[in-house]
Amino acid sequence: MTGRSQLTLVETKLFLRDPTAVFFVLALPIMLLGIFDIITGKSHDTAAQKASMAAFVPAMAMSMCLTMLSLNLLPTTLATYREKGILRRMAASPVHPVNLLLAQLIINLATAVVAAALVLGVGRLVFDTALPDQVPAFLLAFALGAWALFSVGLVVAAVAPGSRAATSIGLSLLFPSLFFGGVFLPKEQLPHTVSVIGDYTPLGATLQALRDSWEGNWPHTQHLLVLAIIGALCSVLAAKLFRWQ
């Protein structure tokens, strides 16, 4: 086993030792499916409205998972390592801290994939949630959404001097993202200005692209471009700003 693989294994064990993180990342999407299943089951919406919600809910649950990982867990973990001097010590050792960054990205991406699989599997078996009609579109939307959101999280990790600052910055980005991204209400129920702003946020673009794939449509080019541009710009910005100490 290579040093990078061993480091990834150790970081995975540390991640799994935090039950709160595992709960929110893996259990929260399933809880959201259950809550919305109860709400929609008792509603008197038309068949078209229920079909729209059937696409919105799983897309929203996956987007929430990616957002929690990228704006909360990832930057807080990396900022904690910087705060405790772990990154500085690793920079002077044969195990370069870049390997730690890669390990954290791998762990968070793997967690996101597991959460997505749970949304698809449990949603289908327990709540009779439909699967995405456009599988290639779904995979592309998920990949671009993960890239954009995690790159934003890396920028937060790059500028935050410690764990408290990372948590504060992450939360200051999280709640506006939830509002403008259309998590609280579907896009069509939002005021026009809020809806337009949400189209240019990583969470809003991810949610809508995933939702389009569920409805059998190819995601709008605008949403895909927004995610690609944010991913590219924030990746470069994080690389320029990141400091080991």
Side-chain angles (χ1 to χ4, degrees):
M1 183 180 291
T2 64
R4 184 178 298 173
S5 300
Q6 290 178 337
L7 181 60
T8 303
L9 179 60
V10 170
E11 289 297 311
T12 301
K13 291 179 179 179
L14 292 174
F15 176 80
L16 294 175
R17 286 179 183 176
D18 186 357
T20 304
V22 176
F23 172 79
F24 276 107
V25 172
L26 299 181
L28 181 60
I30 305 304
M31 292 174 61
L32 290 173
L33 290 180
I35 292 171
F36 276 89
D37 182 71
I38 295 173
I39 294 173
T40 55
K42 294 182 178 180
S43 69
H44 299 287
D45 293 338
T46 64
Q49 290 173 324
K50 289 185 176 181
S52 178
M53 286 298 293
F56 166 76
V57 174
M60 178 269 294
M62 286 190 186
S63 301
M64 277 287 294
C65 173
L66 286 171
T67 304
M68 292 295 293
L69 284 169
S70 61
L71 296 184
N72 193 324
L73 296 182
L74 176 63
T76 300
T77 299
L78 292 177
T80 299
Y81 286 167
R82 180 190 293 113
E83 187 177 32
K84 293 182 177 180
I86 295 174
L87 296 180
R88 176 175 52 81
R89 291 194 294 270
M90 289 184 68
S93 71
V95 183
H96 198 275
V98 168
N99 292 321
L100 181 61
L101 294 180
L102 292 175
Q104 282 294 320
L105 282 173
I106 290 171
I107 292 167
N108 281 273
L109 284 171
T111 305
V113 171
V114 171
L118 286 174
V119 170
L120 293 173
V122 176
R124 182 62 177 169
L125 296 174
V126 178
F127 304 112
D128 197 27
T129 302
L131 298 176
D133 285 342
Q134 277 274 9
V135 175
F138 165 77
L139 295 176
L140 178 61
F142 186 85
L144 285 177
W147 181 28
L149 285 164
F150 280 120
S151 65
V152 173
L154 287 176
V155 173
V156 176
V159 301
S163 58
R164 290 186 178 180
T167 301
S168 299
I169 297 172
L171 290 176
S172 68
L173 293 174
L174 174 63
F175 291 108
S177 295
L178 297 179
F179 175 72
F180 288 105
V183 169
F184 299 129
L185 287 173
K187 177 181 174 66
E188 60 271 15
Q189 297 181 24
L190 292 173
H192 177 70
T193 302
V194 175
S195 176
V196 171
I197 294 174
D199 285 334
Y200 293 93
T201 65
L203 174 56
T206 300
L207 196 161
Q208 295 307 318
L210 289 173
R211 188 178 177 186
D212 285 337
S213 71
W214 242 280
E215 294 175 339
N217 303 315
W218 190 260
H220 289 288
T221 303
Q222 174 190 347
H223 296 144
L224 298 180
L225 284 176
V226 166
L227 294 175
I229 292 171
I230 291 175
L233 289 179
C234 288
S235 295
V236 173
L237 189 61
K240 294 288 186 181
L241 297 177
F242 203 93
R243 298 292 181 268
W244 306 119
Q245 57 184 345

